[in-house]
Amino acid sequence: MTFLWEQGSPVIKLDMIATLALAILLLLLGRVMVNRISILGRFCIPAPVAGGLLFSILMLIFHQTNILVIKMDTLLQTPFMLAFFSTIGMIASLKLVKKGGKLLLFYWLLCGFLSLMQNVIGVSLAQLLDIDPLLGVLMGAVSMEGGHGAAGAFGPECRSDGCIWGYSGSYGGCHLWSCFRWFNRWADCQVSFK
């Protein structure tokens, strides 16, 4: 961790270890916030989102007022995000999968078909609008099924493959989709609390 001045503002540069420590502190802070602020729990806001949002707001205020700039080492961010979102389904036990039986197999096949169709529609619309087909994939199953994390992890990869709107396009698709499904998630959360 180093302290310096850049363009009249104090700057803290965090190395990998300090960045990881900050992330852990924000996770714990988020957990405390969700436990103590009832509206966060009522709307099923995860602890990492609560802590990260508070940190984002603070960083915005610090940056806009030139109070402080924090630069973090994000070298491991993309590999860790890709590993996490690629392996998240492995938490299901075989016993639970067997219990699901034919209905679970049908659901899995239906999800695979819907994922394929999201990408087919995304790529088709991208070609129709004369934009990069990778953007169609990012705004398809990557953002709709993978969510914000997958969009953030795969966006830079597509950008390095030549899709200039990779990062912002993947988040754009994700946020658009979130607007459509927000009410459904809120309603599901309300049912689980009753």
Side-chain angles (χ1 to χ4, degrees), residues 68-176:
L68 177 68
V69 175
I70 296 181
K71 295 185 177 181
M72 294 173 264
D73 184 354
T74 59
L75 178 69
L76 296 176
Q77 178 183 358
T78 300
F80 280 164
M81 286 175 67
L82 288 171
F84 174 78
F85 288 105
S86 298
T87 60
I88 192 69
M90 293 182 181
I91 61 173
S93 66
L94 281 174
K95 185 178 179 181
L96 191 60
V97 171
K98 282 183 184 178
K99 190 175 181 180
K102 291 179 184 178
L103 186 59
L104 181 62
L105 179 64
F106 174 73
Y107 178 73
W108 180 74
L109 291 172
L110 183 64
C111 287
F113 175 74
L114 290 174
S115 175
L116 177 69
M117 291 312 298
Q118 287 169 346
N119 287 333
V120 167
I121 291 169
V123 170
S124 299
L125 285 174
Q127 289 176 338
L128 182 71
L129 297 171
D130 197 28
I131 57 177
D132 195 327
L134 282 175
L135 192 58
V137 173
L138 287 174
M139 294 185 78
V142 171
S143 59
M144 289 186 185
E145 293 186 23
H148 293 79
F154 286 102
E157 296 296 319
C158 289
R159 186 178 180 128
S160 68
D161 286 343
C163 180
I164 60 170
W165 294 100
Y167 198 67
S168 56
S170 61
Y171 274 119
C174 201
H175 291 304
L176 181 65

Side-chain angles (χ1 to χ4, degrees), residues 8-98:
S9 297
V11 176
I12 299 175
K13 287 189 175 184
L14 302 177
D15 60 3
M16 262 190 283
I17 303 296
T19 301
L20 180 62
L22 177 63
I24 291 170
L25 287 173
L26 290 171
L27 172 67
L28 295 174
L29 176 64
R31 192 170 290 167
V32 169
M33 289 171 59
V34 169
N35 289 338
R36 294 201 177 165
I37 302 172
S38 64
I39 194 166
L40 296 177
R42 197 170 341 129
F43 286 104
C44 299
I45 306 297
V49 173
L53 182 62
L54 179 64
F55 180 73
S56 298
I57 291 169
L58 284 174
M59 288 303 97
L60 175 67
I61 293 168
F62 289 164
H63 186 267
Q64 293 298 322
T65 57
N66 286 331
I67 294 174
L68 177 68
V69 175
I70 296 181
K71 295 185 177 181
M72 294 173 264
D73 184 354
T74 59
L75 178 69
L76 296 176
Q77 178 183 358
T78 300
F80 280 164
M81 286 175 67
L82 288 171
F84 174 78
F85 288 105
S86 298
T87 60
I88 192 69
M90 293 182 181
I91 61 173
S93 66
L94 281 174
K95 185 178 179 181
L96 191 60
V97 171
K98 282 183 184 178

